[in-house]
Amino acid sequence: MLRNRLLPIVVLLVLLAAVLLGCSALDGLGGEVTVESEETQSVIVPGVPSLIVNHFAGNVTIRDGEADKITANLTRQSRLSDAAAAQAQLDLITMAFTQSGTNVTLSVEGRDEAGQGLNTATANLELLVPPGTLLDINQGAGNLTVERPGGDVTVNLGAGNATVTLPEDASFNLSVSGGVGNVNSEFEGVPDGGIATDIDATIGSSPTQTLTFNVGAGDINLNIAR
């Protein structure tokens, strides 16, 4: 009997610990930027692509761009005080596309070699995608912004806030799971979040897309485009 009473308390403590770890990860993204570098890559994708994004840390912004083309603009940032060490840290951050037809994967990785440590480095990513692109985003830490997605969106985010902006008449299936955070929505019918969030809802009468969120620590914001 006592075990059954203690179980919810244990679960709550685990979730709170996860939040603290997530907040620590977000704190590591702060501080003054000492060295910065930029890189742009593009791939041609005839038709509507399915895009997987794997990103270790940094803010990600995704919006519509040209048809048949995905463009990634990456800004690497280091906060190490020693300029040479900061540049060496940035050199460990790589960006690469892989492609098979309309299936595309973009990987932004931060390798930790020779004790460089990447807790003070981030890579902010701007993605321009063809309208209707299906998005599958796997992000370690940082804030995510997706503007007017036309296809399904799947988000796995360790620590950070996820914001998706949709047209006022958007109709979608919404699935939310994860640790601690709020679900802030300008669309009616979306339940609030909180500890061990579990939401499965349909917004509007004729859903045309699915939004799926799994966030460890952070808020989910659903905004109406203006």
Side-chain angles (χ1 to χ4, degrees):
M1 190 73 173
L2 178 60
R3 181 180 178 182
N4 292 337
R5 291 178 179 176
L6 287 176
L7 184 58
I9 298 175
V10 172
V11 172
L12 176 59
L13 290 175
V14 170
L15 289 170
L16 290 176
V19 173
L20 291 175
L21 288 173
C23 290
S24 296
L26 288 175
D27 289 343
L29 302 182
E32 181 180 356
V33 175
T34 55
V35 176
E36 185 174 283
S37 67
E38 297 180 352
E39 179 182 359
T40 296
Q41 293 187 27
S42 298
V43 291
I44 302 300
V45 189
V48 178
S50 295
L51 175 62
I52 297 174
V53 180
N54 300 316
H55 192 305
F56 78 104
N59 297 327
V60 176
T61 301
I62 303 175
R63 58 173 62 96
D64 282 351
E66 302 177 46
D68 302 332
K69 183 179 181 181
I70 299 174
T71 298
N73 299 311
L74 186 69
T75 302
R76 302 176 179 86
Q77 296 178 333
S78 176
R79 292 161 178 80
L80 295 177
S81 57
D82 181 86
Q87 184 58 56
Q89 188 182 60
L90 295 189
D91 292 341
L92 299 176
I93 300 174
T94 61
M95 176 173 68
F97 277 107
T98 57
Q99 181 178 2
S100 177
T102 58
N103 297 317
V104 180
T105 298
L106 174 64
S107 297
V108 180
E109 299 178 348
R111 297 175 292 117
D112 187 0
E113 296 179 355
Q116 289 287 340
L118 283 167
N119 59 315
T120 55
T122 55
N124 294 329
L125 177 65
E126 178 192 44
L127 271 172
L128 304 177
V129 301
T133 297
L134 304 179
L135 298 171
D136 186 346
I137 304 154
N138 304 293
Q139 187 174 351
N143 295 323
L144 169 67
T145 302
V146 184
E147 299 180 2
R148 292 177 175 267
D152 294 345
V153 179
T154 300
V155 175
N156 293 292
L157 175 58
N161 298 325
T163 300
V164 177
T165 301
L166 297 162
E168 186 174 7
D169 60 351
S171 182
F172 51 91
N173 295 314
L174 176 65
S175 176
V176 177
S177 61
V180 178
N182 296 315
V183 178
N184 307 304
S185 175
E186 295 182 346
F187 293 90
E188 293 184 2
V190 177
D192 295 333
I195 295 175
T197 297
D198 188 2
I199 294 173
D200 189 359
T202 298
I203 308 306
S205 57
S206 302
T208 57
Q209 62 190 140
T210 297
L211 307 181
T212 303
F213 298 89
N214 188 335
V215 177
D219 292 343
I220 297 170
N221 304 302
L222 301 176
N223 296 339
I224 294 175
R226 292 177 172 81

